């Protein structure tokens, strides 16, 4: 089966600019995750969707970050305006179902964002 | 709240030596535990999960609820095992973190020839 697709792979922007990332999960996967991975750290969950509803966004900086998952399929993550500390790899992952099912999360290649 | 701790950022061993990557967790309930691996220039992928009790590429991990640990072990390390390893926890419905998948900081394993 096709994997999780993310675009772009790389992005360089100036601080205070806006940026958007796109994710296409594996077909049929109900759960979609966005993670932020700063160099030298583990992935930090930003937001988790179950179909098109938000399950957890407790660590999403809502003053500048937003995410949506229209029709429960593709998702976009936006940063507006970007700060230097947003430089990181943004990972998208999907799994067949969340909650109490022992299901694997499949990851995309990630988008490396550099804010200068 | 759920938390995963991997105390070692770096671990170096020689080929053929045993290796153990430590993982401790905190969660108010019965979690699901996973080990993910990221090889150079590849995407993050699942290595093994506690419920399967399987051995993948010679690696095993046992969930110790008393010590809240899920250490990853391999009796004889190979050079191709060199990678970044992440321990991850997912809360189960009924706890306070329904379905949330939390990762540790990761351990870079280097296996020398």
């Amino acid at each position: 089966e096709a994997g999780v697709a993310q675009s772009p792979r790389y992005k360089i922007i100036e601080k205070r600019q806006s940026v958007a990332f796109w994710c296409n999960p594996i077909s049929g996967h109900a759960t979609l995750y966005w993670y932020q991975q700063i160099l030298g750290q583990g992935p930090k969950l930003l937001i988790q969707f179950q179909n098109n509803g938000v399950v957890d966004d407790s660590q999403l900086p809502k003053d500048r970050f937003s995410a949506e998952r229209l029709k429960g399929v593709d998702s976009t993550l936006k940063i507006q305006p970007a700060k230097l500390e947003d430089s990181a790899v943004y990972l998208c992952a999907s799994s067949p179902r969340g909650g109490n099912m022992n299901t694997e999360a499949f990851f995309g290649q990630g988008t490396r964002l550099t804010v200068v | 709240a759920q938390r995963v701790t991997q105390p070692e950022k770096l671990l170096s061993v020689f080929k053929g030596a045993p290796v153990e990557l430590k993982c401790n967790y905190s969660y108010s309930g019965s979690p699901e535990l996973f080990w993910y691996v990221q090889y150079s220039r590849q995407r993050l992928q699942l290595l093994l999960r506690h419920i399967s009790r399987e051995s993948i590429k010679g690696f095993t991990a046992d969930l110790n609820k008393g010590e809240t640990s899920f250490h990853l072990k391999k009796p004889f390390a190979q050079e191709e095992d060199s990678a970044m390893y992440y321990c991850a926890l997912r809360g189960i419905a009924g706890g306070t973190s329904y379905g949330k998948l939390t990762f540790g900081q990761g351990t870079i394993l280097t296996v020398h020839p």
Side-chain angles (χ1 to χ4, degrees), chain A residues 4 33 35 37 40 42 45 48 56 99-105 107 109, chain B residues 9 32 34 36 43-44 46 49 51 86 90 92 99-101 103-105:
Chain A
V4 176
Y33 313 82
Y35 287 88
Q37 187 171 22
L45 181 67
Q48 178 177 334
D56 189 295
N100 59 354
M101 295 292 291
N102 184 39
T103 52
E104 173 183 353
F107 282 81
Q109 293 275 44
Chain B
K9 284 193 75 77
E32 300 172 77
F34 306 86
Y36 279 80
R43 64 184 68 192
L44 199 56
L46 179 70
R49 66 197 85 184
I51 200 166
Y86 293 98
R90 177 157 56 207
I92 295 178
K100 182 177 174 180
L101 185 60
F103 284 81
Q105 296 281 59

PDB file of all heavy atoms in Angstrom, chain A residues 4 33 35 37 40 42 45 48 56 99-105 107 109, chain B residues 9 32 34 36 43-44 46 49 51 86 90 92 99-101 103-105:
ATOM      1  N   VAL A   4       2.342   7.229   3.793  1.00  0.00           N
ATOM      2  CA  VAL A   4       1.904   8.580   4.112  1.00  0.00           C
ATOM      3  C   VAL A   4       2.736   9.553   3.283  1.00  0.00           C
ATOM      4  O   VAL A   4       3.968   9.483   3.287  1.00  0.00           O
ATOM      5  CB  VAL A   4       2.084   8.865   5.612  1.00  0.00           C
ATOM      6  CG1 VAL A   4       1.712  10.305   5.925  1.00  0.00           C
ATOM      7  CG2 VAL A   4       1.246   7.881   6.433  1.00  0.00           C
ATOM      8  N   TYR A  33      -1.989  12.108  12.805  1.00  0.00           N
ATOM      9  CA  TYR A  33      -1.193  12.833  13.787  1.00  0.00           C
ATOM     10  C   TYR A  33      -0.259  13.824  13.081  1.00  0.00           C
ATOM     11  O   TYR A  33       0.279  13.518  12.028  1.00  0.00           O
ATOM     12  CB  TYR A  33      -0.287  11.881  14.579  1.00  0.00           C
ATOM     13  CG  TYR A  33      -0.891  10.617  15.132  1.00  0.00           C
ATOM     14  CD1 TYR A  33      -1.053   9.484  14.338  1.00  0.00           C
ATOM     15  CD2 TYR A  33      -1.246  10.523  16.478  1.00  0.00           C
ATOM     16  CE1 TYR A  33      -1.561   8.316  14.852  1.00  0.00           C
ATOM     17  CE2 TYR A  33      -1.751   9.345  17.009  1.00  0.00           C
ATOM     18  CZ  TYR A  33      -1.908   8.243  16.189  1.00  0.00           C
ATOM     19  OH  TYR A  33      -2.412   7.064  16.713  1.00  0.00           O
ATOM     20  N   TYR A  35       3.260  15.772  14.243  1.00  0.00           N
ATOM     21  CA  TYR A  35       4.299  15.879  15.255  1.00  0.00           C
ATOM     22  C   TYR A  35       5.310  16.945  14.848  1.00  0.00           C
ATOM     23  O   TYR A  35       5.579  17.149  13.660  1.00  0.00           O
ATOM     24  CB  TYR A  35       5.050  14.551  15.420  1.00  0.00           C
ATOM     25  CG  TYR A  35       4.290  13.479  16.123  1.00  0.00           C
ATOM     26  CD1 TYR A  35       3.452  12.612  15.419  1.00  0.00           C
ATOM     27  CD2 TYR A  35       4.393  13.309  17.505  1.00  0.00           C
ATOM     28  CE1 TYR A  35       2.739  11.621  16.069  1.00  0.00           C
ATOM     29  CE2 TYR A  35       3.686  12.319  18.155  1.00  0.00           C
ATOM     30  CZ  TYR A  35       2.869  11.481  17.434  1.00  0.00           C
ATOM     31  OH  TYR A  35       2.167  10.495  18.093  1.00  0.00           O
ATOM     32  N   GLN A  37       9.312  17.727  15.457  1.00  0.00           N
ATOM     33  CA  GLN A  37      10.547  17.137  15.961  1.00  0.00           C
ATOM     34  C   GLN A  37      11.684  18.133  15.814  1.00  0.00           C
ATOM     35  O   GLN A  37      12.202  18.359  14.716  1.00  0.00           O
ATOM     36  CB  GLN A  37      10.886  15.840  15.240  1.00  0.00           C
ATOM     37  CG  GLN A  37      12.085  15.114  15.854  1.00  0.00           C
ATOM     38  CD  GLN A  37      12.295  13.738  15.298  1.00  0.00           C
ATOM     39  OE1 GLN A  37      11.853  13.429  14.199  1.00  0.00           O
ATOM     40  NE2 GLN A  37      12.974  12.888  16.056  1.00  0.00           N
ATOM     41  N   GLY A  40      17.497  16.832  17.814  1.00  0.00           N
ATOM     42  CA  GLY A  40      17.999  16.271  19.062  1.00  0.00           C
ATOM     43  C   GLY A  40      16.914  15.881  20.052  1.00  0.00           C
ATOM     44  O   GLY A  40      17.220  15.399  21.149  1.00  0.00           O
ATOM     45  N   GLY A  42      12.801  14.049  20.711  1.00  0.00           N
ATOM     46  CA  GLY A  42      11.815  13.117  20.178  1.00  0.00           C
ATOM     47  C   GLY A  42      10.636  13.859  19.572  1.00  0.00           C
ATOM     48  O   GLY A  42      10.439  15.049  19.814  1.00  0.00           O
ATOM     49  N   LEU A  45       3.825  15.514  19.931  1.00  0.00           N
ATOM     50  CA  LEU A  45       2.512  15.551  19.304  1.00  0.00           C
ATOM     51  C   LEU A  45       1.941  16.962  19.330  1.00  0.00           C
ATOM     52  O   LEU A  45       1.843  17.588  20.383  1.00  0.00           O
ATOM     53  CB  LEU A  45       1.557  14.603  20.027  1.00  0.00           C
ATOM     54  CG  LEU A  45       0.142  14.522  19.445  1.00  0.00           C
ATOM     55  CD1 LEU A  45       0.165  13.878  18.061  1.00  0.00           C
ATOM     56  CD2 LEU A  45      -0.773  13.740  20.380  1.00  0.00           C
ATOM     57  N   GLN A  48      -3.911  15.559  17.058  1.00  0.00           N
ATOM     58  CA  GLN A  48      -4.354  14.237  16.629  1.00  0.00           C
ATOM     59  C   GLN A  48      -5.806  14.322  16.212  1.00  0.00           C
ATOM     60  O   GLN A  48      -6.650  14.850  16.948  1.00  0.00           O
ATOM     61  CB  GLN A  48      -4.193  13.222  17.760  1.00  0.00           C
ATOM     62  CG  GLN A  48      -4.666  11.822  17.425  1.00  0.00           C
ATOM     63  CD  GLN A  48      -4.432  10.836  18.544  1.00  0.00           C
ATOM     64  OE1 GLN A  48      -3.540  11.014  19.362  1.00  0.00           O
ATOM     65  NE2 GLN A  48      -5.227   9.779  18.574  1.00  0.00           N
ATOM     66  N   ASP A  56      -6.887  15.428  20.286  1.00  0.00           N
ATOM     67  CA  ASP A  56      -5.965  16.084  21.222  1.00  0.00           C
ATOM     68  C   ASP A  56      -5.212  17.183  20.492  1.00  0.00           C
ATOM     69  O   ASP A  56      -4.627  16.928  19.448  1.00  0.00           O
ATOM     70  CB  ASP A  56      -4.979  15.061  21.811  1.00  0.00           C
ATOM     71  CG  ASP A  56      -4.157  15.629  22.948  1.00  0.00           C
ATOM     72  OD1 ASP A  56      -3.358  16.560  22.714  1.00  0.00           O
ATOM     73  OD2 ASP A  56      -4.310  15.149  24.087  1.00  0.00           O
ATOM     74  N   GLY A  99      -7.345   5.064  19.960  1.00  0.00           N
ATOM     75  CA  GLY A  99      -8.041   4.566  21.133  1.00  0.00           C
ATOM     76  C   GLY A  99      -7.503   3.253  21.636  1.00  0.00           C
ATOM     77  O   GLY A  99      -6.313   3.083  21.804  1.00  0.00           O
ATOM     78  N   ASN A 100      -8.350   2.286  21.840  1.00  0.00           N
ATOM     79  CA  ASN A 100      -7.924   1.071  22.518  1.00  0.00           C
ATOM     80  C   ASN A 100      -7.584  -0.061  21.558  1.00  0.00           C
ATOM     81  O   ASN A 100      -7.622  -1.216  21.914  1.00  0.00           O
ATOM     82  CB  ASN A 100      -8.999   0.621  23.504  1.00  0.00           C
ATOM     83  CG  ASN A 100     -10.318   0.352  22.804  1.00  0.00           C
ATOM     84  OD1 ASN A 100     -10.449   0.596  21.617  1.00  0.00           O
ATOM     85  ND2 ASN A 100     -11.286  -0.141  23.538  1.00  0.00           N
ATOM     86  N   MET A 101      -7.267   0.255  20.341  1.00  0.00           N
ATOM     87  CA  MET A 101      -6.787  -0.764  19.412  1.00  0.00           C
ATOM     88  C   MET A 101      -5.273  -0.689  19.342  1.00  0.00           C
ATOM     89  O   MET A 101      -4.696   0.381  19.290  1.00  0.00           O
ATOM     90  CB  MET A 101      -7.364  -0.520  18.015  1.00  0.00           C
ATOM     91  CG  MET A 101      -8.866  -0.679  17.943  1.00  0.00           C
ATOM     92  SD  MET A 101      -9.379  -2.387  18.180  1.00  0.00           S
ATOM     93  CE  MET A 101      -8.768  -3.120  16.661  1.00  0.00           C
ATOM     94  N   ASN A 102      -4.625  -1.827  19.374  1.00  0.00           N
ATOM     95  CA  ASN A 102      -3.167  -1.858  19.293  1.00  0.00           C
ATOM     96  C   ASN A 102      -2.753  -1.716  17.845  1.00  0.00           C
ATOM     97  O   ASN A 102      -2.475  -2.700  17.160  1.00  0.00           O
ATOM     98  CB  ASN A 102      -2.645  -3.161  19.876  1.00  0.00           C
ATOM     99  CG  ASN A 102      -1.136  -3.200  19.909  1.00  0.00           C
ATOM    100  OD1 ASN A 102      -0.491  -2.205  20.201  1.00  0.00           O
ATOM    101  ND2 ASN A 102      -0.568  -4.334  19.591  1.00  0.00           N
ATOM    102  N   THR A 103      -2.766  -0.495  17.345  1.00  0.00           N
ATOM    103  CA  THR A 103      -2.507  -0.256  15.932  1.00  0.00           C
ATOM    104  C   THR A 103      -1.240   0.562  15.760  1.00  0.00           C
ATOM    105  O   THR A 103      -0.930   1.443  16.539  1.00  0.00           O
ATOM    106  CB  THR A 103      -3.683   0.494  15.294  1.00  0.00           C
ATOM    107  OG1 THR A 103      -3.967   1.651  16.073  1.00  0.00           O
ATOM    108  CG2 THR A 103      -4.905  -0.384  15.220  1.00  0.00           C
ATOM    109  N   GLU A 104      -0.551   0.252  14.689  1.00  0.00           N
ATOM    110  CA  GLU A 104       0.710   0.901  14.360  1.00  0.00           C
ATOM    111  C   GLU A 104       0.448   2.237  13.703  1.00  0.00           C
ATOM    112  O   GLU A 104      -0.487   2.391  12.919  1.00  0.00           O
ATOM    113  CB  GLU A 104       1.470  -0.006  13.403  1.00  0.00           C
ATOM    114  CG  GLU A 104       2.745   0.568  12.824  1.00  0.00           C
ATOM    115  CD  GLU A 104       3.382  -0.387  11.823  1.00  0.00           C
ATOM    116  OE1 GLU A 104       2.897  -1.532  11.697  1.00  0.00           O
ATOM    117  OE2 GLU A 104       4.353   0.022  11.170  1.00  0.00           O
ATOM    118  N   ALA A 105       1.274   3.228  14.015  1.00  0.00           N
ATOM    119  CA  ALA A 105       1.248   4.516  13.329  1.00  0.00           C
ATOM    120  C   ALA A 105       2.298   4.488  12.228  1.00  0.00           C
ATOM    121  O   ALA A 105       3.444   4.115  12.464  1.00  0.00           O
ATOM    122  CB  ALA A 105       1.513   5.657  14.297  1.00  0.00           C
ATOM    123  N   PHE A 107       4.466   6.609   9.428  1.00  0.00           N
ATOM    124  CA  PHE A 107       4.955   7.975   9.322  1.00  0.00           C
ATOM    125  C   PHE A 107       5.310   8.356   7.888  1.00  0.00           C
ATOM    126  O   PHE A 107       5.756   7.514   7.091  1.00  0.00           O
ATOM    127  CB  PHE A 107       6.188   8.162  10.198  1.00  0.00           C
ATOM    128  CG  PHE A 107       5.849   8.332  11.644  1.00  0.00           C
ATOM    129  CD1 PHE A 107       5.572   7.238  12.439  1.00  0.00           C
ATOM    130  CD2 PHE A 107       5.785   9.595  12.208  1.00  0.00           C
ATOM    131  CE1 PHE A 107       5.236   7.385  13.776  1.00  0.00           C
ATOM    132  CE2 PHE A 107       5.449   9.764  13.534  1.00  0.00           C
ATOM    133  CZ  PHE A 107       5.171   8.663  14.321  1.00  0.00           C
ATOM    134  N   GLN A 109       7.672  11.073   5.390  1.00  0.00           N
ATOM    135  CA  GLN A 109       9.093  11.432   5.385  1.00  0.00           C
ATOM    136  C   GLN A 109       9.363  12.721   6.154  1.00  0.00           C
ATOM    137  O   GLN A 109      10.491  12.987   6.545  1.00  0.00           O
ATOM    138  CB  GLN A 109       9.580  11.611   3.937  1.00  0.00           C
ATOM    139  CG  GLN A 109       9.590  10.335   3.134  1.00  0.00           C
ATOM    140  CD  GLN A 109      10.872   9.546   3.338  1.00  0.00           C
ATOM    141  OE1 GLN A 109      11.350   9.394   4.455  1.00  0.00           O
ATOM    142  NE2 GLN A 109      11.431   9.030   2.262  1.00  0.00           N
TER     143      GLN A 109
ATOM    144  N   LYS B   9      20.967   9.220  25.664  1.00  0.00           N
ATOM    145  CA  LYS B   9      20.862   9.809  24.338  1.00  0.00           C
ATOM    146  C   LYS B   9      21.739   9.051  23.348  1.00  0.00           C
ATOM    147  O   LYS B   9      21.406   8.958  22.164  1.00  0.00           O
ATOM    148  CB  LYS B   9      21.298  11.279  24.358  1.00  0.00           C
ATOM    149  CG  LYS B   9      20.276  12.209  24.962  1.00  0.00           C
ATOM    150  CD  LYS B   9      20.615  13.659  24.677  1.00  0.00           C
ATOM    151  CE  LYS B   9      20.333  14.063  23.251  1.00  0.00           C
ATOM    152  NZ  LYS B   9      18.900  14.288  23.005  1.00  0.00           N
ATOM    153  N   GLU B  32      -0.326   1.004  25.946  1.00  0.00           N
ATOM    154  CA  GLU B  32       0.293   0.227  24.876  1.00  0.00           C
ATOM    155  C   GLU B  32       1.700   0.787  24.695  1.00  0.00           C
ATOM    156  O   GLU B  32       1.883   2.000  24.653  1.00  0.00           O
ATOM    157  CB  GLU B  32      -0.468   0.407  23.566  1.00  0.00           C
ATOM    158  CG  GLU B  32      -1.921  -0.019  23.614  1.00  0.00           C
ATOM    159  CD  GLU B  32      -2.636   0.378  22.346  1.00  0.00           C
ATOM    160  OE1 GLU B  32      -2.440  -0.303  21.327  1.00  0.00           O
ATOM    161  OE2 GLU B  32      -3.367   1.382  22.359  1.00  0.00           O
ATOM    162  N   PHE B  34       5.432   0.742  22.478  1.00  0.00           N
ATOM    163  CA  PHE B  34       6.007   0.457  21.169  1.00  0.00           C
ATOM    164  C   PHE B  34       7.486   0.875  21.164  1.00  0.00           C
ATOM    165  O   PHE B  34       7.897   1.754  21.912  1.00  0.00           O
ATOM    166  CB  PHE B  34       5.312   1.274  20.076  1.00  0.00           C
ATOM    167  CG  PHE B  34       3.818   1.131  20.012  1.00  0.00           C
ATOM    168  CD1 PHE B  34       2.996   1.921  20.803  1.00  0.00           C
ATOM    169  CD2 PHE B  34       3.234   0.230  19.140  1.00  0.00           C
ATOM    170  CE1 PHE B  34       1.612   1.801  20.739  1.00  0.00           C
ATOM    171  CE2 PHE B  34       1.846   0.101  19.074  1.00  0.00           C
ATOM    172  CZ  PHE B  34       1.043   0.899  19.877  1.00  0.00           C
ATOM    173  N   TYR B  36       9.938   2.321  18.112  1.00  0.00           N
ATOM    174  CA  TYR B  36      10.074   2.757  16.732  1.00  0.00           C
ATOM    175  C   TYR B  36      11.557   2.960  16.445  1.00  0.00           C
ATOM    176  O   TYR B  36      12.342   3.282  17.337  1.00  0.00           O
ATOM    177  CB  TYR B  36       9.331   4.079  16.498  1.00  0.00           C
ATOM    178  CG  TYR B  36       7.836   3.909  16.285  1.00  0.00           C
ATOM    179  CD1 TYR B  36       6.977   3.720  17.358  1.00  0.00           C
ATOM    180  CD2 TYR B  36       7.304   3.931  15.003  1.00  0.00           C
ATOM    181  CE1 TYR B  36       5.608   3.562  17.153  1.00  0.00           C
ATOM    182  CE2 TYR B  36       5.942   3.775  14.788  1.00  0.00           C
ATOM    183  CZ  TYR B  36       5.110   3.588  15.866  1.00  0.00           C
ATOM    184  OH  TYR B  36       3.764   3.421  15.666  1.00  0.00           O
ATOM    185  N   ARG B  43      12.304   6.954   6.960  1.00  0.00           N
ATOM    186  CA  ARG B  43      11.252   7.458   7.827  1.00  0.00           C
ATOM    187  C   ARG B  43      11.155   6.618   9.095  1.00  0.00           C
ATOM    188  O   ARG B  43      11.634   5.488   9.148  1.00  0.00           O
ATOM    189  CB  ARG B  43       9.922   7.478   7.081  1.00  0.00           C
ATOM    190  CG  ARG B  43       9.386   6.122   6.644  1.00  0.00           C
ATOM    191  CD  ARG B  43       8.107   6.287   5.833  1.00  0.00           C
ATOM    192  NE  ARG B  43       8.349   6.923   4.536  1.00  0.00           N
ATOM    193  CZ  ARG B  43       7.384   7.379   3.752  1.00  0.00           C
ATOM    194  NH1 ARG B  43       6.121   7.300   4.136  1.00  0.00           N
ATOM    195  NH2 ARG B  43       7.674   7.931   2.584  1.00  0.00           N
ATOM    196  N   LEU B  44      10.536   7.195  10.081  1.00  0.00           N
ATOM    197  CA  LEU B  44      10.294   6.503  11.348  1.00  0.00           C
ATOM    198  C   LEU B  44       9.377   5.302  11.082  1.00  0.00           C
ATOM    199  O   LEU B  44       8.377   5.407  10.387  1.00  0.00           O
ATOM    200  CB  LEU B  44       9.617   7.494  12.299  1.00  0.00           C
ATOM    201  CG  LEU B  44       9.613   7.245  13.779  1.00  0.00           C
ATOM    202  CD1 LEU B  44      11.018   7.082  14.321  1.00  0.00           C
ATOM    203  CD2 LEU B  44       8.916   8.406  14.474  1.00  0.00           C
ATOM    204  N   LEU B  46       7.782   1.346  12.796  1.00  0.00           N
ATOM    205  CA  LEU B  46       7.588   0.503  13.965  1.00  0.00           C
ATOM    206  C   LEU B  46       8.584  -0.644  13.969  1.00  0.00           C
ATOM    207  O   LEU B  46       8.791  -1.300  12.945  1.00  0.00           O
ATOM    208  CB  LEU B  46       6.166  -0.056  13.960  1.00  0.00           C
ATOM    209  CG  LEU B  46       5.813  -0.974  15.116  1.00  0.00           C
ATOM    210  CD1 LEU B  46       5.724  -0.180  16.418  1.00  0.00           C
ATOM    211  CD2 LEU B  46       4.495  -1.702  14.850  1.00  0.00           C
ATOM    212  N   ARG B  49       5.954  -4.067  19.149  1.00  0.00           N
ATOM    213  CA  ARG B  49       4.935  -3.598  20.093  1.00  0.00           C
ATOM    214  C   ARG B  49       4.813  -4.628  21.207  1.00  0.00           C
ATOM    215  O   ARG B  49       4.998  -5.824  20.974  1.00  0.00           O
ATOM    216  CB  ARG B  49       3.600  -3.410  19.390  1.00  0.00           C
ATOM    217  CG  ARG B  49       2.965  -4.686  18.884  1.00  0.00           C
ATOM    218  CD  ARG B  49       1.873  -4.436  17.866  1.00  0.00           C
ATOM    219  NE  ARG B  49       2.424  -4.294  16.522  1.00  0.00           N
ATOM    220  CZ  ARG B  49       1.698  -3.996  15.449  1.00  0.00           C
ATOM    221  NH1 ARG B  49       0.417  -3.737  15.571  1.00  0.00           N
ATOM    222  NH2 ARG B  49       2.257  -3.912  14.268  1.00  0.00           N
ATOM    223  N   ILE B  51       2.338  -5.871  22.902  1.00  0.00           N
ATOM    224  CA  ILE B  51       1.244  -6.829  22.953  1.00  0.00           C
ATOM    225  C   ILE B  51       1.524  -8.029  22.057  1.00  0.00           C
ATOM    226  O   ILE B  51       0.977  -9.105  22.263  1.00  0.00           O
ATOM    227  CB  ILE B  51      -0.081  -6.139  22.572  1.00  0.00           C
ATOM    228  CG1 ILE B  51      -1.270  -6.950  23.092  1.00  0.00           C
ATOM    229  CG2 ILE B  51      -0.187  -5.911  21.073  1.00  0.00           C
ATOM    230  CD1 ILE B  51      -2.572  -6.193  23.067  1.00  0.00           C
ATOM    231  N   TYR B  86      13.246   5.011  19.279  1.00  0.00           N
ATOM    232  CA  TYR B  86      12.291   5.749  20.103  1.00  0.00           C
ATOM    233  C   TYR B  86      11.333   4.774  20.783  1.00  0.00           C
ATOM    234  O   TYR B  86      10.766   3.893  20.124  1.00  0.00           O
ATOM    235  CB  TYR B  86      11.454   6.718  19.266  1.00  0.00           C
ATOM    236  CG  TYR B  86      12.210   7.856  18.661  1.00  0.00           C
ATOM    237  CD1 TYR B  86      12.635   7.814  17.334  1.00  0.00           C
ATOM    238  CD2 TYR B  86      12.508   9.005  19.405  1.00  0.00           C
ATOM    239  CE1 TYR B  86      13.324   8.865  16.771  1.00  0.00           C
ATOM    240  CE2 TYR B  86      13.195  10.059  18.838  1.00  0.00           C
ATOM    241  CZ  TYR B  86      13.596   9.982  17.526  1.00  0.00           C
ATOM    242  OH  TYR B  86      14.289  11.032  16.961  1.00  0.00           O
ATOM    243  N   ARG B  90       1.023   4.691  24.071  1.00  0.00           N
ATOM    244  CA  ARG B  90      -0.311   5.182  23.727  1.00  0.00           C
ATOM    245  C   ARG B  90      -1.253   4.824  24.863  1.00  0.00           C
ATOM    246  O   ARG B  90      -1.309   3.672  25.290  1.00  0.00           O
ATOM    247  CB  ARG B  90      -0.828   4.591  22.433  1.00  0.00           C
ATOM    248  CG  ARG B  90      -2.247   5.049  22.103  1.00  0.00           C
ATOM    249  CD  ARG B  90      -2.589   4.949  20.641  1.00  0.00           C
ATOM    250  NE  ARG B  90      -2.394   3.612  20.139  1.00  0.00           N
ATOM    251  CZ  ARG B  90      -2.106   3.345  18.858  1.00  0.00           C
ATOM    252  NH1 ARG B  90      -1.980   4.317  17.987  1.00  0.00           N
ATOM    253  NH2 ARG B  90      -1.936   2.106  18.475  1.00  0.00           N
ATOM    254  N   ILE B  92      -4.838   4.158  26.612  1.00  0.00           N
ATOM    255  CA  ILE B  92      -5.989   3.366  26.183  1.00  0.00           C
ATOM    256  C   ILE B  92      -7.250   4.043  26.677  1.00  0.00           C
ATOM    257  O   ILE B  92      -7.252   4.678  27.718  1.00  0.00           O
ATOM    258  CB  ILE B  92      -5.876   1.930  26.726  1.00  0.00           C
ATOM    259  CG1 ILE B  92      -4.659   1.236  26.099  1.00  0.00           C
ATOM    260  CG2 ILE B  92      -7.134   1.122  26.458  1.00  0.00           C
ATOM    261  CD1 ILE B  92      -4.426  -0.163  26.609  1.00  0.00           C
ATOM    262  N   GLY B  99      -5.891   7.496  23.291  1.00  0.00           N
ATOM    263  CA  GLY B  99      -5.305   7.343  21.988  1.00  0.00           C
ATOM    264  C   GLY B  99      -4.089   8.197  21.707  1.00  0.00           C
ATOM    265  O   GLY B  99      -3.530   8.101  20.630  1.00  0.00           O
ATOM    266  N   LYS B 100      -3.641   9.018  22.638  1.00  0.00           N
ATOM    267  CA  LYS B 100      -2.514   9.905  22.371  1.00  0.00           C
ATOM    268  C   LYS B 100      -1.222   9.110  22.338  1.00  0.00           C
ATOM    269  O   LYS B 100      -0.934   8.338  23.239  1.00  0.00           O
ATOM    270  CB  LYS B 100      -2.458  10.963  23.471  1.00  0.00           C
ATOM    271  CG  LYS B 100      -1.369  11.993  23.325  1.00  0.00           C
ATOM    272  CD  LYS B 100      -1.498  13.011  24.455  1.00  0.00           C
ATOM    273  CE  LYS B 100      -0.340  13.992  24.451  1.00  0.00           C
ATOM    274  NZ  LYS B 100      -0.471  14.981  25.540  1.00  0.00           N
ATOM    275  N   LEU B 101      -0.421   9.283  21.289  1.00  0.00           N
ATOM    276  CA  LEU B 101       0.830   8.554  21.104  1.00  0.00           C
ATOM    277  C   LEU B 101       1.991   9.469  21.467  1.00  0.00           C
ATOM    278  O   LEU B 101       2.249  10.460  20.781  1.00  0.00           O
ATOM    279  CB  LEU B 101       0.931   8.080  19.659  1.00  0.00           C
ATOM    280  CG  LEU B 101       2.117   7.179  19.273  1.00  0.00           C
ATOM    281  CD1 LEU B 101       2.115   5.906  20.083  1.00  0.00           C
ATOM    282  CD2 LEU B 101       2.067   6.876  17.780  1.00  0.00           C
ATOM    283  N   PHE B 103       6.092  10.015  22.476  1.00  0.00           N
ATOM    284  CA  PHE B 103       7.426   9.464  22.231  1.00  0.00           C
ATOM    285  C   PHE B 103       8.422   9.927  23.283  1.00  0.00           C
ATOM    286  O   PHE B 103       8.296  11.013  23.849  1.00  0.00           O
ATOM    287  CB  PHE B 103       7.935   9.911  20.854  1.00  0.00           C
ATOM    288  CG  PHE B 103       7.303   9.173  19.712  1.00  0.00           C
ATOM    289  CD1 PHE B 103       6.057   9.547  19.244  1.00  0.00           C
ATOM    290  CD2 PHE B 103       7.956   8.116  19.112  1.00  0.00           C
ATOM    291  CE1 PHE B 103       5.460   8.861  18.189  1.00  0.00           C
ATOM    292  CE2 PHE B 103       7.376   7.425  18.054  1.00  0.00           C
ATOM    293  CZ  PHE B 103       6.122   7.797  17.596  1.00  0.00           C
ATOM    294  N   GLY B 104       9.427   9.095  23.500  1.00  0.00           N
ATOM    295  CA  GLY B 104      10.567   9.502  24.297  1.00  0.00           C
ATOM    296  C   GLY B 104      11.531  10.326  23.464  1.00  0.00           C
ATOM    297  O   GLY B 104      11.283  10.594  22.275  1.00  0.00           O
ATOM    298  N   GLN B 105      12.648  10.715  24.086  1.00  0.00           N
ATOM    299  CA  GLN B 105      13.605  11.588  23.424  1.00  0.00           C
ATOM    300  C   GLN B 105      14.470  10.850  22.410  1.00  0.00           C
ATOM    301  O   GLN B 105      15.117  11.478  21.581  1.00  0.00           O
ATOM    302  CB  GLN B 105      14.518  12.246  24.462  1.00  0.00           C
ATOM    303  CG  GLN B 105      13.783  13.169  25.415  1.00  0.00           C
ATOM    304  CD  GLN B 105      13.485  14.511  24.796  1.00  0.00           C
ATOM    305  OE1 GLN B 105      12.808  14.630  23.772  1.00  0.00           O
ATOM    306  NE2 GLN B 105      13.972  15.558  25.414  1.00  0.00           N
TER     307      GLN B 105
END
